[in-house]
Amino acid sequence: MKRLFAFALVLLSLQTVLAQQQALQTPAQFLGYTLGEEFTMHARITDYVNYLAQQAPNRIRVQEYGKTYEGRPLLLAYVASDENLPRLEQIRENNLRQAGIANGQVQGKQPAILWMSYNIHGNESVSSEAVLQVLYDLVDPNNQQTKKWLENTVVILDPCVNPDGRERYVQWYKQTQNRGGNASPYAWEHYEPWPGGRPNHYYFDLNRDWAWQTQIESKQRMAQYNQWLPQVHADFHEMGPEQPYYFSPAAKPLHESITPWQRDFQYTIGDYNRQYFDQNNWLYFTRENFDLFYPSYGDTWPTFNGAIGMTYEQGGSGRAGLAYKKQDGDTLTLTDRIAHHHIASLATLQATAEKADQLTQEFRKYYDNNLKKPGGDYKTFVFRADDRSAGNMKALTDYLDQQQIRYGYAGKSSSAKAFNYANGKEESVRVNQNDLVVSMYQPKSTLVKVLFEPNSNLEDSLTYDITSWAMPYAFGLQAYALKSRLEPSNQKPAKAANAISVERPFAYLARWNSLQDVKFLTELMAQKVKVRMSEKPFEMDNRQYDAGTLIITRTGNEGMGDKLDAVVRATAEKHGITLQASTTGFVSSGADFGSGSVRFLKMPKVALMSGEGVSPYAFGEIWHYFEQQIGYPVTVLGTSYFGNVPLHEFDVLILPAGSYGRVLNEQALEQVKNWVRGGGKLIALESAAGFLAGKKDFNLQKKNGGEAAEKDKAKETKEDPYRLLRAYGDRERDAISEDVQGSVFRVNLDKTHPLAFGYGDTYYALVRTSDTFSFMKDGWNVGVLKKDNYATGFVGAKAKERLKDALILGTQPMGRGQVVYLADNPLFRGFWHNGKLLFGNAVFLVGQ
C-alpha cells in the first residue's frame, strides 16, 4: 500500500507539471495580440514575466531588484535547467570565488553565466517586446533546443532597464499613431516630441552610466551585476530606421586593456549570429561605428569586469513605430525588428552554451592575471589626504566601494618615483601615512587601470564618445601613479571629530572645498540658519582658512536660540563636515567677521529652463543636481510659456545648453537683461553662453567663429592650394582635426573670485568642443586656458590650437546683477565630481 501510495503521489505530481506545461501561454495568448501588432505597456511586460515564474517555477525565478525614480519595478529573470535552478546561490558564490572576490573553493560543476539587458534606451523599445518571446522559448518545456543550451548556462535577463523612458515613448506613440501604424515617414507618429523616450526620468542616457552609476537604475542594477559577474553580457539597442542590424565584432578603437581572448570571442559570437542572419537573408554589418573604448557602455564596462561585452543594434528606434517606409522602398515593421532581436538573443545563448567551458576557463584566467600579473605601466595609485580633500576623498571611496575596488591607506611615509597628475610629469613624490592607496594587485585591477590611468592609448581616433575620464581629474584630487608596487594598509586613519569644547561659540567655521560643503550649506538654509561667507582668506587660532569659508555666527540667528547649536552640529555630522568653533569675531589676519568682506548668503530662488530647444541631457544633469545631489528646490520653467513668467519671482535663472533663438527673441532677451540689471543672476552653460556671445550688452565674444575663421581658411588655401585636393574617403579623419573629444584640460583660475572658491589655482575641465570664447575686456575672466593647458584625451591639431588663450569660466556684472558664463559643463553626465562645487559656487556664492 505504501508503494502504491508513493507511486500515486509521483503520478499526481507529473500530471500537475504536465498540466502547467500545457497551460503555459505564449506572449500572444497572454497579451491578447501577436507581438508586433502593438507596443506593450511596461506593466504588462512585468505581468508576463511574473506569470511565467508562477507557471514554471522549476525553470525561472524573478527578482524585483529595485524601482525607478517614477516608482516602476526593475526586474531580473533567472532561467536555468531543472538541475541548476535550485543551486543558483551556490553557482553565484562559485563564480565570485573564481574571480577572487569571495573566498573558498568552487563546489560542483560551474555553468557559464549569460546576462542580457533590454531597452536601456526607452524609445529603443523593440527589445522589451523581443524578450517576451525569448523568455517563453527558454521556459517552454517542449523546446528541446533551449533545454539543451540551459544545461551549461544560467541566463539572467533584464526585460526593461529603463521603464520610465520606455513608458514615456510607448504612451506617446499610442496616443498619436494611426490605426495599425502609418508607414509614411512624415506621419506624426514618427516624430517624438521633446525630450523623447530615450533617457530616464532625469533625462540621463543610462547607456553612458554603467561605470559612473549616478542614476538610481544604474546603482541598483550594478549592485546585482557585481554579485554575479557574468562571463557574457549582451546589450540590445536600436539605431536609425534606415540601418539594418549590427552585431559584433566591434569597431576600432578597442581599449588596450581588452584581452586577446575577449577580442577573439567577439568574432566567435559574431559567427553564431551571422549564420542565423544569413539563413534568413537579413542584412547586417559588423566592425563599424560601435567601438569598445569609452568605459561606461553596456559592452565596455562588463568587458572591463571580465565578460565578453557586446552591443546589438536593430534599425528602427523611436522613429520606426509599428511600420516605417524606408528610402529603398521596403517597409520596416515592428514584427521584423522583434524577429531580429529574438534570433540574436538565441544565437548569443547558443554561443555561450557551446563555449561554456572555454568561457569559464578564460574568466578564471582573467581574474587570476588581475591578482598576480596586472597590466599597464602603473601598479599603484596614491591620493593625497589633507584637510581640503576630505569631501572629495569621501566621494571617491564611496565610488570605489560601489565598484568593489579594493583600497587602503599608506600606513607610513615613504618616497617614490611617480607620475604627478597635477603637472603631467614624472618626479619624486612623498607618500604620507594617511594617503589613500589603490593597488593594481586585486580582482578589479583591469577596471582600476581603465578608470585611473593618466592616458588611455587610442588606437584609432574615430571613436564614438569622450576619450578621457581619469578619476583623479574627475574627483579633483592630488594624485600620483607609481610604477612600483605599494601594498595598502587596512588600518583606516582616525576621523577628525567635531570636538567643540565651547558650548555656545561666537561662530562656527566650515571649510568650502567639496559638494559635501554645498549640501551642508543648502540644508542649513532649509532650516532657516543664516550663513555668511568670507571673501578673503584669514587666520584664526593658528589655522589658515581659505576664501569661501562658511561662517555661522550667533548674531543674526538669535531667533533660533539654543536650537542653533544642535542644528548646526547635527547637520555637520550628517554630511561629514569638520567644524571649528570661534569665541570671537576677531581674526589674527584677514577680515574680521563684521567686515564687509564677510557676506551674508541669501537663499536664492532658482529657476531652470526646460523644454523644446533645450538639450534634454544638459537640463537633466542640472535638475538631478538640485533634486538628488544637494536637495535644493528648483522651479523648472518651460520654453513654451517662458514669455509669461514673472522673472522677479526668482533670483537665479539657469540656461542649460540648447538653441535659444526662438524662446529668447529680441523682446524676451531684453526682459531678461532688465531682470539681471535689477539684481538677477543669469547662468548660461555651453551653447547657451554661445547664444549670448556677441549680443548687445553681453561682453562675451566667440573666439574662433565667423569672419575670422573664414579668413584663416582662405589664407591657408592661398598658401597651399593643394589643400583643396582632399580624398573623399578621408573626410571623417579630416573632420576630426577640428574636434576635441571629451579631453581634460587644466584651467587656470583666479582663486580670488567666488566662482573659483575651494579650488586653488587649477580646475580640471572635461572639454568637448573647440568653440570657445575670447578673454573679456569688461568682466572677470575667472577660468582660462593658456598656451599649454592640455592634460589628456584626443584633441585634433586645429582644435588644440583654438583652445589656446580661451575663456572657459567668466562672470560679467550687469547693473545690480550678474551673468555667469560656463563654456564647460561642470555637471557632465553627473560623474565629473570636480565640477559640482564649481556649479554650487555659481548658484550660491557669485553675486552675493
Side-chain angles (χ1 to χ4, degrees):
M1 287 296 293
K2 288 181 180 178
R3 289 178 179 176
L4 285 172
F5 182 67
F7 178 75
L9 283 177
V10 170
L11 187 62
L12 180 62
S13 175
L14 286 171
Q15 289 173 338
T16 302
V17 171
L18 286 170
Q20 289 176 338
Q21 292 174 349
Q22 290 170 356
L24 192 66
Q25 295 182 357
T26 66
Q29 291 168 332
F30 183 87
L31 297 171
Y33 55 85
T34 301
L35 288 176
E37 288 182 349
E38 60 180 88
F39 284 105
T40 307
M41 304 300 286
H42 179 259
R44 293 296 285 156
I45 292 171
T46 60
D47 286 347
Y48 187 64
V49 175
N50 287 321
Y51 161 79
L52 291 176
Q54 293 167 0
Q55 293 298 111
N58 60 322
R59 297 293 294 279
I60 178 174
R61 290 182 188 171
V62 174
Q63 173 193 8
E64 182 177 315
Y65 67 86
K67 292 189 183 296
T68 67
Y69 286 113
E70 296 176 14
R72 295 186 176 88
L74 295 163
L75 304 181
L76 287 176
Y78 300 87
V79 186
S81 66
D82 295 347
E83 177 187 353
N84 284 332
L85 196 68
R87 56 184 290 263
L88 271 184
E89 182 60 16
Q90 183 189 66
I91 291 170
R92 185 188 71 79
E93 290 176 351
N94 280 345
N95 201 54
L96 295 184
R97 291 184 183 115
Q98 291 184 130
I101 301 289
N103 297 323
Q105 298 296 316
V106 174
Q107 300 171 358
K109 185 185 177 186
Q110 188 66 10
I113 300 169
L114 163 64
W115 185 307
M116 295 193 282
S117 299
Y118 299 84
N119 218 161
I120 196 167
H121 291 143
N123 60 1
E124 297 176 10
S125 48
V126 64
S127 61
S128 283
E129 307 289 339
V131 74
L132 301 181
Q133 187 62 51
V134 173
L135 277 167
Y136 177 79
D137 289 347
L138 295 179
V139 175
D140 179 11
N142 298 314
N143 192 323
Q144 299 304 313
Q145 187 64 78
T146 58
K147 265 188 177 181
K148 181 176 177 57
W149 292 337
L150 286 172
E151 290 175 4
N152 299 325
T153 315
V154 168
V155 182
I156 305 172
L157 301 99
D158 192 326
C160 187
V161 177
N162 182 8
D164 293 349
R166 177 188 171 82
E167 204 69 356
R168 187 186 310 127
Y169 171 75
V170 171
Q171 286 193 19
W172 167 80
Y173 186 82
K174 284 180 174 289
Q175 292 166 4
T176 57
Q177 71 173 98
N178 288 131
R179 185 176 180 181
N182 187 331
S184 169
Y186 308 108
W188 183 18
E189 64 196 72
H190 300 301
Y191 290 87
E192 277 185 272
W194 191 96
R198 179 183 175 90
N200 74 338
H201 171 78
Y202 280 106
Y203 305 161
F204 273 67
D205 184 334
L206 293 181
N207 195 43
R208 269 71 177 170
D209 196 45
W210 283 80
W212 319 134
Q213 299 167 32
T214 68
Q215 300 301 289
I216 195 170
E217 295 90 348
S218 305
K219 289 176 182 176
Q220 295 171 117
R221 185 176 72 257
M222 294 300 94
Q224 296 302 316
Y225 190 101
N226 273 322
Q227 290 299 308
W228 283 93
L229 295 179
Q231 279 75 49
V232 178
H233 180 263
D235 196 21
F236 291 85
H237 291 259
E238 289 186 82
M239 51 188 164
E242 297 294 338
Q243 300 295 318
Y245 198 92
Y246 165 83
F247 49 74
S248 60
K252 289 183 178 181
L254 275 68
H255 196 282
E256 64 178 352
S257 295
I258 298 174
T259 68
W261 157 255
Q262 288 174 318
R263 291 173 182 244
D264 290 345
F265 207 82
Q266 287 264 324
Y267 284 84
T268 300
I269 290 193
D271 287 342
Y272 275 82
N273 280 282
R274 177 175 54 77
Q275 291 173 25
Y276 283 102
F277 275 68
D278 285 346
Q279 287 170 13
N280 287 282
N281 296 312
W282 293 338
L283 291 176
Y284 56 88
F285 68 93
T286 65
R287 296 161 296 176
E288 294 180 50
N289 300 345
F290 304 104
D291 62 69
L292 294 177
F293 189 71
Y294 173 68
S296 201
Y297 293 138
D299 50 14
T300 51
W301 187 85
T303 296
F304 301 139
N305 281 274
I308 308 299
M310 295 158 300
T311 290
Y312 291 90
E313 294 273 356
Q314 164 63 47
S317 198
R319 283 216 68 194
L322 293 180
Y324 184 89
K325 187 175 181 180
K326 300 195 301 178
Q327 293 176 1
D328 62 9
D330 284 347
T331 297
L332 175 67
T333 67
L334 180 59
T335 302
D336 297 332
R337 293 151 62 198
I338 291 171
H340 300 160
H341 266 340
H342 170 235
I343 286 296
S345 300
L346 296 183
T348 305
L349 170 56
Q350 182 182 359
T352 305
E354 293 180 357
K355 305 292 183 180
D357 289 342
Q358 284 178 280
L359 284 163
T360 54
Q361 288 170 15
E362 291 293 337
F363 181 81
R364 285 193 293 270
K365 186 189 299 182
Y366 181 93
Y367 277 96
D368 190 57
N369 285 336
N370 278 358
L371 280 165
K372 299 173 183 176
K373 296 183 292 183
D377 293 334
Y378 300 109
K379 303 307 177 188
T380 310
F381 298 92
V382 176
F383 293 82
R384 172 75 72 231
D386 54 39
D387 291 342
R388 293 175 175 83
S389 69
N392 286 342
M393 193 71 84
K394 174 64 165 58
L396 175 64
T397 55
D398 287 347
Y399 177 74
L400 297 178
D401 290 338
Q402 219 174 11
Q403 297 283 348
Q404 289 190 347
I405 292 173
R406 297 172 182 174
Y407 60 91
Y409 300 87
K412 61 181 180 180
S413 298
S414 62
S415 296
K417 194 82 171 176
F419 173 86
N420 185 342
Y421 285 84
N423 57 25
K425 296 178 181 177
E426 296 276 349
E427 58 188 31
S428 181
V429 301
R430 185 75 176 166
V431 178
N432 299 324
Q433 63 176 5
N434 290 339
D435 289 349
L436 186 135
V437 175
V438 180
S439 170
M440 282 287 287
Y441 292 86
Q442 62 166 300
K444 292 291 188 90
S445 71
T446 299
L447 186 62
V448 171
K449 175 183 179 295
V450 171
L451 295 178
F452 286 62
E453 61 190 352
N455 296 289
S456 297
N457 184 31
L458 191 63
E459 65 176 334
D460 192 318
S461 52
L462 286 176
T463 185
Y464 197 53
D465 214 289
I466 65 171
T467 56
S468 57
W469 47 78
M471 293 295 98
Y473 298 125
F475 282 88
L477 290 165
Q478 178 63 54
Y480 310 99
L482 282 63
K483 292 183 178 179
S484 56
R485 181 175 181 176
L486 178 63
E487 278 303 306
S489 166
N490 293 325
Q491 187 172 357
K492 197 171 182 179
K495 181 184 176 185
N498 283 320
I500 298 173
S501 57
V502 184
E503 190 173 331
R504 290 169 55 85
F506 183 91
Y508 292 97
L509 309 180
R511 299 185 188 277
W512 184 259
N513 295 116
S514 73
L515 179 67
Q516 291 302 112
D517 304 312
V518 180
K519 292 180 184 179
F520 176 60
L521 171 63
T522 58
E523 190 162 329
L524 288 179
M525 286 178 164
Q527 296 177 89
K528 310 301 181 186
V529 176
K530 293 181 179 178
V531 183
R532 300 169 193 271
M533 174 267 295
S534 177
E535 278 195 326
K536 296 180 179 179
F538 63 93
E539 183 178 339
M540 176 177 272
D541 297 330
N542 295 318
R543 288 192 178 96
Q544 301 293 328
Y545 294 90
D546 293 333
T549 297
L550 301 181
I551 303 171
I552 304 129
T553 58
R554 199 163 296 280
T555 299
N557 286 302
E558 295 90 347
M560 297 194 70
D562 293 336
K563 185 182 174 184
L564 173 68
D565 301 280
V567 168
V568 172
R569 295 184 190 198
T571 307
E573 184 68 25
K574 176 180 177 181
H575 295 292
I577 306 299
T578 301
L579 292 175
Q580 302 294 338
S582 171
T583 57
T584 177
F586 178 78
V587 301
S588 52
S589 69
D592 297 330
F593 295 170
S595 165
S597 297
V598 177
R599 306 285 189 176
F600 165 66
L601 296 178
K602 178 184 176 182
M603 184 176 182
K605 296 178 182 177
V606 181
L608 172 61
M609 192 77 88
S610 173
E612 195 69 45
V614 177
S615 162
Y617 299 131
F619 159 71
E621 287 156 3
I622 301 169
W623 189 22
H624 186 266
Y625 177 84
F626 280 105
E627 292 205 343
Q628 296 295 327
Q629 296 178 44
I630 66 172
Y632 191 85
V634 62
T635 300
V636 177
L637 304 178
T639 54
S640 61
Y641 62 85
F642 178 74
N644 298 322
V645 173
L647 286 178
H648 65 266
E649 295 282 341
F650 303 98
D651 304 300
V652 178
L653 173 62
I654 303 171
L655 304 181
S659 177
Y660 287 91
R662 289 186 179 180
V663 63
L664 292 181
N665 54 34
E666 189 173 337
Q667 180 181 354
L669 193 57
E670 196 60 39
Q671 291 174 346
V672 170
K673 288 190 287 187
N674 288 335
W675 167 78
V676 175
R677 292 186 185 105
K681 179 162 54 181
L682 180 66
I683 302 174
L685 291 89
E686 301 182 286
S687 55
F691 168 77
L692 299 177
K695 289 188 166 49
K696 183 182 177 184
D697 299 321
F698 292 97
N699 296 338
L700 193 67
Q701 296 290 333
K702 289 185 179 179
K703 180 173 182 285
N704 299 312
E707 294 180 11
E710 292 301 320
K711 286 180 180 177
D712 287 343
K713 287 181 181 178
K715 182 181 178 183
E716 288 176 17
T717 303
K718 186 176 180 180
E719 292 174 353
D720 180 14
Y722 294 105
R723 182 176 175 275
L724 297 174
L725 304 180
R726 296 175 296 146
Y728 177 76
D730 294 336
R731 62 194 184 282
E732 286 184 280
R733 298 191 183 281
D734 289 342
I736 64 172
S737 69
E738 302 188 16
D739 285 350
V740 51
Q741 293 176 266
S743 302
V744 178
F745 282 77
R746 298 180 181 90
V747 179
N748 293 106
L749 294 177
D750 172 7
K751 64 181 181 182
T752 67
H753 194 284
L755 187 58
F757 284 175
Y759 283 93
D761 297 321
T762 306
Y763 163 67
Y764 296 108
L766 188 64
V767 177
R768 295 174 296 116
T769 177
S770 60
D771 294 331
T772 54
F773 305 103
S774 301
F775 299 157
M776 289 189 290
K777 295 179 181 178
D778 297 305
W780 301 107
N781 299 291
V782 182
V784 300
L785 296 180
K786 294 187 178 178
K787 294 192 181 300
D788 191 23
N789 285 38
Y790 165 78
T792 181
F794 176 80
V795 185
K798 294 178 182 177
K800 187 176 283 190
E801 192 63 30
R802 290 177 181 177
L803 286 165
K804 292 178 180 178
D805 298 325
L807 175 69
I808 298 296
L809 312 168
T811 69
Q812 170 196 339
M814 184 180 285
R816 293 190 293 112
Q818 294 276 332
V819 182
V820 180
Y821 303 111
L822 304 179
D824 161 64
N825 177 6
L827 304 180
F828 180 67
R829 291 182 183 164
F831 90 94
W832 201 252
H833 196 85
N834 186 36
K836 295 178 181 181
L837 176 68
L838 179 78
F839 193 77
N841 288 346
V843 174
F844 298 106
L845 302 193
V846 172
Q848 295 277 18

